[in-house]
Amino acid sequence: MQLGEAAKRVEELKREIEEHNYRYYVLDKPSISDAQYDWLMRELQELENKFPELQSPDSPTQRVGGSPAREFGTVRHTVQLLSLGNAFGPDDLRDFDRRVREAAGDVEYVVELKIDGLTVALTYVDGMLTTAATRGDGVTGEDISQNLKTVYSVPLKLKNPLPRLEVRGEAYMPKESFERLNLEREENGEATFANPRNAAAGSLRQLDPKVTASRNLKVFAYNIIYQEGAKVDSQLGSLEFLREQGFLVNEDFLLCKNIDEVIEACLEWGDKRNSLPYEIDGIVVKVNSFAAQEELGETAKSPRWAIAYKFPAQQEETVIEDIVVRVGRTGVLTPTAVLKPVRVAGSTVSRATLHNIDMIRDKDIRIGDHVLIQKAGDVIPEVVQVLPEKRTGGEREFQMPAVCPECQAEVIRYENEAAHRCTGIACPAKQREGIIHFVSRDAMNIDGLGPAVVGQLLDAGLIHNAADLYHLKFDDLVKLERMGKKSAENLLAAIEQSKERGLAPLIFALGIRHVGARAGKLLAANFMSMDGLSKAGREDLLEIPEVGPAMAERIVTFFRQEQTNEFLDKLAAAGVVMVEESKLKSESLAGKTIVVTGTLNKFGRKEIEEVIEAHGGKPSGSVSKKTSFVLAGENAGSKLDKARSLGVLVITEEEFVEMLGER
Ligand code: IVH
């Protein structure tokens, strides 16, 4: 391909991919499959590799995160970032309204959710994202441009470019992502984040953008701070404008005619806040008209035209009746507080994770203590603090067990790890948790196989690992307690169905450390089959932008195990699909073994192998009598000679493309 043609295609791909990103991350309405998306990305990446002059800062390939920085640069904010005054109840809101109306007459207000994350300041010049900065001290912040580019809900380019636009927004981590991240960190013996805000901050203030990229952050844009070339004149207009420009804008805003409507909205959200998929810590009330905002002006610290209504804290007092230890899939022992049941934020809480021994010591938590609890991420309950004044002297200190409560193997704590781990190779808890993970929704998604049934199957000796599930019989199942004929049939059907689940979820289901659902997809897209992945070396794996050394190491080690092979063989024998099927574009190369040599014009090295596989063929590295044909590009060398001497068919790139019947 020539440069001119490539440049055109690159522009096309950039536009198309960003549109898909927008549909996926902002509208939440994807219109193509992950596999199709990966193909577009791959094509773009390869063109950019081949023609480095076509790389640009607004390319979606920049979103996977470049190389780590040594330190953050500083950015001087053009407009200082102020903070907001607080209102703790209706009276404070009425006072605020009185001050506003004294200075600016009757006004309308916009109420917005106060997202509990961290402020980001985004600058667009000629429609392109040029800088992203943290709040810092309000005057200067840290340059986190490289990190923010990995956040897909931030447009790299505005839909309707204008000379200059400065936007403020809130970067946050959805509750679900926060919980998953903490679980993963717990299993890896890493310190957990106290709440989604800390997790978001920790993820953005990373010198390595790849870490940010792996964390599923989002940004809600909420203010226009400076505009050149647009004529937005109200807060409501800002939100609409930002949405039209491609930003993710929180939909739960409301225009209020007076302070009564504002108060009503604030109280209502106080009750509803737990139902949101992200954390909010209040409501921001803003005067709608920019003219009125200007009239009101600001104090040294905060604008007079806005205020933050803070929700009352949702904490409750209860008693720690016991501390028990749970053993996870990777053998991590997690101490868990058994609480006297209490209602917090809409549900009854009877357990709270204590994460690890350090947290118990730091907070000086003892069995029998009266404690305040709250829901972090409003879902997982946590102990905020002990109430020492309520101690009676009968409280007991907790000790981490020296042996695993499930298998009695030794418990150790590795250096640099917060967690204690069970060392037992065949620890039943590890096995059980591994199977529960295998059947979970994002993995093999086997309905009707909850932890209780898994426990029953293991206890009855019907299964020893997840592969055994595929060999279960109806007669085995109906013998189990509380398992009717119908449920047994349903369960068998669900197991059967899971065979077709596909490569990506299966890779995730294997429970390899560091390999989450997203990594499963990436690996599936890159290796196309379990066989391919199992043969991948460290270097092959590191070629994938989001795979780091730790993950690569785990994958290689995992597939080196004899046990793994036996396990996979068992799955294969049961007919579990282990190839990326969605990419099987045709069967035009079915049964053909193909050797590629020399330089091709249309395809990169890795790409051609994938194309061959996608059409049912098998790429091979050396020519033999079994080779179906050799695909020879420019400057082909010894392989071409060998093909000729063996009388193996040699074809050109054009002939090959014709054979595929596409492109
Ligand atoms: S407006 C002049 N709107 O809350 C300050 N802030 O001090 C204008 N926040 O950390 C802020 N959601 O990042 C505004 N919809 C929203 C917000 C919001 C969250 C954060 C903001 C800052 C704090 C306000």
Side-chain angles (χ1 to χ4, degrees):
M1 197 185 274
Q2 300 299 313
L3 180 62
E5 201 184 329
K8 222 174 100 203
R9 182 68 186 141
V10 163
E11 278 313 309
E12 245 169 51
L13 284 166
K14 272 162 59 176
R15 207 169 329 116
E16 200 176 329
I17 293 168
E18 274 306 302
E19 183 59 27
H20 289 306
N21 285 338
Y22 176 70
R23 295 189 64 86
Y24 189 93
Y25 292 99
V26 178
L27 302 181
D28 199 13
K29 278 196 195 114
S31 59
I32 58 170
S33 70
D34 290 358
Q36 285 168 313
Y37 177 86
D38 290 342
W39 273 89
L40 295 174
M41 273 300 273
R42 181 171 300 279
E43 191 185 346
L44 178 59
Q45 185 71 66
E46 285 187 358
L47 282 173
E48 288 182 355
N49 291 348
K50 205 161 156 197
F51 303 100
E53 58 270 51
L54 297 180
Q55 287 170 7
S56 62
D58 67 329
S59 170
T61 55
Q62 300 301 303
R63 291 203 186 267
V64 293
S67 34
R70 225 171 289 139
E71 58 179 359
F72 291 114
T74 49
V75 174
R76 203 178 167 81
H77 299 300
T78 29
V79 181
Q80 193 187 344
L81 277 89
L82 300 172
S83 51
L84 288 181
N86 291 326
F88 293 101
D91 291 348
D92 292 347
L93 288 171
R94 286 189 197 286
D95 286 345
F96 164 72
D97 177 56
R98 200 168 309 121
R99 292 194 299 271
V100 167
R101 283 191 294 117
E102 268 167 23
D106 268 353
V107 296
E108 291 183 325
Y109 294 106
V110 175
V111 295
E112 294 167 21
L113 302 184
K114 187 168 182 299
I115 313 297
D116 197 8
L118 58 151
T119 320
V120 289
L122 310 170
T123 304
Y124 291 82
V125 177
D126 294 331
M128 305 274 247
L129 175 64
T130 54
T131 3
T134 60
R135 179 179 199 286
D137 61 6
V139 179
T140 54
E142 284 169 325
D143 184 344
I144 49 161
S145 308
Q146 291 316 314
N147 292 347
L148 221 69
K149 279 186 174 177
T150 69
V151 177
Y152 285 84
S153 48
V154 173
L156 300 178
K157 202 171 171 177
L158 301 178
K159 288 199 185 277
N160 309 302
L162 59 162
R164 192 177 179 92
L165 182 71
E166 292 187 32
V167 174
R168 301 267 158 90
E170 195 80 355
Y172 69 98
M173 185 178 286
K175 287 178 194 170
E176 202 191 329
S177 310
F178 162 72
E179 273 151 33
R180 209 173 311 139
L181 175 64
N182 259 359
L183 208 67
E184 208 177 288
R185 291 178 69 89
E186 210 163 280
E187 303 256 296
N188 289 337
E190 295 164 313
T192 49
F193 290 108
N195 53 48
R197 179 166 37 79
N198 286 5
S203 305
L204 259 193
R205 298 194 59 259
Q206 280 285 341
L207 290 170
D208 185 355
K210 286 198 177 66
V211 177
T212 315
S214 70
R215 293 283 173 83
N216 192 29
L217 294 176
K218 295 192 176 186
V219 169
F220 277 130
Y222 60 68
N223 271 7
I224 296 176
I225 223 78
Y226 183 85
Q227 46 175 339
E228 215 175 283
K231 288 201 188 85
V232 179
D233 63 1
S234 68
Q235 178 56 18
L236 200 64
S238 304
L239 297 174
E240 267 154 24
F241 179 82
L242 290 169
R243 190 166 45 198
E244 280 162 15
Q245 287 287 18
F247 291 92
L248 177 65
V249 173
N250 191 287
E251 296 294 322
D252 284 312
F253 59 81
L254 188 69
L255 182 69
C256 296
K257 295 246 169 304
N258 53 46
I259 201 68
D260 288 330
E261 288 184 20
V262 169
I263 292 170
E264 193 186 324
C266 288
L267 297 178
E268 215 168 275
W269 274 113
D271 295 335
K272 282 198 303 199
R273 60 186 285 209
N274 297 316
S275 61
L276 292 164
Y278 41 80
E279 285 221 314
I280 60 174
D281 58 344
I283 298 288
V284 182
V285 183
K286 300 174 184 175
V287 168
N288 186 33
S289 139
F290 279 3
Q293 286 188 5
E294 217 154 288
E295 228 172 298
L296 284 155
E298 54 214 26
T299 68
K301 274 200 301 200
S302 52
R304 292 197 188 87
W305 47 265
I307 196 161
Y309 170 81
K310 290 288 187 89
F311 295 132
Q314 310 190 72
Q315 295 184 343
E316 294 298 333
E317 185 184 328
T318 186
V319 177
I320 296 189
E321 293 180 332
D322 197 3
I323 296 178
V324 295
V325 170
R326 186 175 63 79
V327 187
R329 173 160 62 88
T330 56
V332 168
L333 274 64
T334 307
T336 305
V338 179
L339 306 170
K340 187 165 158 223
V342 59
R343 271 188 88 74
V344 197
S347 65
T348 302
V349 168
S350 54
R351 277 175 186 249
T353 173
L354 299 174
H355 298 291
N356 53 52
I357 196 73
D358 291 343
M359 168 159 168
I360 296 177
R361 295 284 176 264
D362 288 350
K363 294 190 175 172
D364 188 21
I365 295 169
R366 303 184 196 168
I367 300 166
D369 264 338
H370 283 253
V371 290
L372 280 186
I373 61 158
Q374 72 181 14
K375 289 193 187 170
D378 275 331
V379 182
I380 299 184
E382 66 173 20
V383 174
V384 184
Q385 64 165 100
V386 170
L387 301 171
E389 65 277 13
K390 298 220 168 160
R391 282 202 172 141
T392 58
E395 295 76 17
R396 280 182 298 128
E397 257 190 44
F398 168 78
Q399 299 296 344
M400 223 35 179
V403 296
C404 172
E406 302 244 11
C407 75
Q408 275 67 52
E410 191 189 347
V411 166
I412 57 166
R413 183 180 190 179
Y414 291 103
E415 235 178 279
N416 304 326
E417 278 206 354
H420 285 75
R421 285 179 193 278
C422 163
T423 54
I425 294 180
C427 175
K430 286 195 213 174
Q431 285 177 348
R432 184 184 62 232
E433 297 299 319
I435 298 171
I436 291 170
H437 169 75
F438 187 90
V439 304
S440 65
R441 204 183 54 193
D442 287 346
M444 297 307 270
N445 192 22
I446 302 179
D447 239 3
L449 205 49
V453 181
V454 170
Q456 277 181 298
L457 290 169
L458 281 166
D459 291 346
L462 290 171
I463 60 171
H464 302 283
N465 59 39
D468 294 335
L469 292 170
Y470 293 100
H471 301 274
L472 282 173
K473 302 271 175 317
F474 179 80
D475 291 342
D476 297 332
L477 288 178
V478 282
K479 281 191 215 126
L480 297 177
E481 239 177 85
R482 291 187 300 279
M483 175 74 75
K485 269 191 186 164
K486 190 76 204 145
S487 349
E489 275 168 15
N490 288 346
L491 180 52
L492 284 175
I495 293 174
E496 190 58 32
Q497 208 177 10
S498 76
K499 292 180 183 174
E500 307 283 329
R501 192 76 174 112
L503 184 59
L506 178 60
I507 294 173
F508 172 56
L510 295 175
I512 307 167
R513 285 271 289 286
H514 302 300
V515 178
R518 183 172 161 73
K521 280 189 197 161
L522 280 170
L523 294 168
N526 276 277
F527 294 98
M528 309 293 287
S529 67
M530 191 64 83
D531 197 43
L533 175 61
S534 71
K535 294 200 178 90
R538 206 182 120 84
E539 299 307 317
D540 302 321
L541 290 161
L542 288 175
E543 259 177 47
I544 304 170
E546 289 175 51
V547 175
M551 195 198 291
E553 196 59 51
R554 291 289 176 166
I555 294 171
V556 172
T557 317
F558 178 81
F559 284 104
R560 219 172 26 215
Q561 309 298 317
E562 190 52 39
Q563 283 178 14
T564 302
N565 289 326
E566 284 168 18
F567 182 78
L568 292 175
D569 285 349
K570 225 166 169 178
L571 291 182
V576 175
V577 169
M578 299 211 201
V579 289
E580 181 78 335
E581 290 192 320
S582 54
K583 283 196 183 164
L584 209 57
K585 292 181 143 192
S586 82
E587 307 228 337
S588 47
L589 303 177
K592 299 230 178 341
T593 305
I594 303 158
V595 175
V596 182
T597 178
T599 313
L600 303 176
N601 284 319
K602 285 205 163 71
F603 309 94
R605 250 289 122 96
K606 266 222 123 61
E607 190 188 10
I608 188 69
E609 290 189 6
E610 282 163 19
V611 170
I612 292 171
E613 280 171 337
H615 291 271
K618 195 172 145 223
S620 157
S622 57
V623 182
S624 75
K625 280 198 181 134
K626 288 192 191 139
T627 307
S628 310
F629 61 82
V630 170
L631 167 54
E634 281 159 31
N635 304 323
S638 63
K639 287 183 191 171
L640 181 58
D641 297 339
K642 183 151 186 211
R644 291 205 171 118
S645 74
L646 288 174
V648 171
L649 176 67
V650 177
I651 67 165
T652 64
E653 191 173 355
E654 285 71 35
E655 288 168 322
F656 175 76
V657 171
E658 226 161 81
M659 204 180 251
L660 300 180
E662 59 163 329
R663 280 205 192 213

